[in-house]
Amino acid sequence: MIAATLLFTTTFALKVTAHDNVTPQPVDTSKLPDIGEEWRTVNPYRGNPDAIKIGESAYGGNCARCHGLEAISGGIAPDLRYLEVGEAGDEWFIGRYRHGASRDGKVFMPPFGDIIGQKAGWAIRSWLDTKHQES
């Protein structure tokens, strides 16, 4: 009985604490207007219903793992509901999205910009704007 309990506890704990490499999920942005290749510092899709819908799906596949469902963090990563809305928060958001974040050689957020693209990033940002709450 003790061995079975130990085996169950060890197996369950490994599954709960496992954090594999992040594999970005593709995002279909074909319904969004083209915005060129040069990275924007202001969200060109703010308020766009298609972008919001695409952003919600893209967030679920690429961000929720760390930042939580509905952008409500469980403590692993920042709670994205508290990002500054509008242009004030766009530059910070897209910088983190593009380049990720690391400290002392440890990656806290992988870079997504060159992998799933600018259009997907701004779509995610558009959806996050709908989740904003004051801190």
Side-chain angles (χ1 to χ4, degrees), residues 31-73:
K31 289 185 178 180
L32 298 176
D34 189 31
I35 55 175
E37 293 189 26
E38 186 174 329
W39 281 87
R40 307 275 182 108
T41 56
V42 174
N43 187 353
Y45 300 135
R46 182 165 285 109
N48 178 317
D50 288 333
I52 292 168
K53 184 175 180 182
I54 291 166
E56 179 178 18
S57 176
Y59 178 91
N62 291 291
C63 311
R65 177 182 203 173
C66 297
H67 291 283
L69 297 174
E70 296 294 313
I72 303 169
S73 177

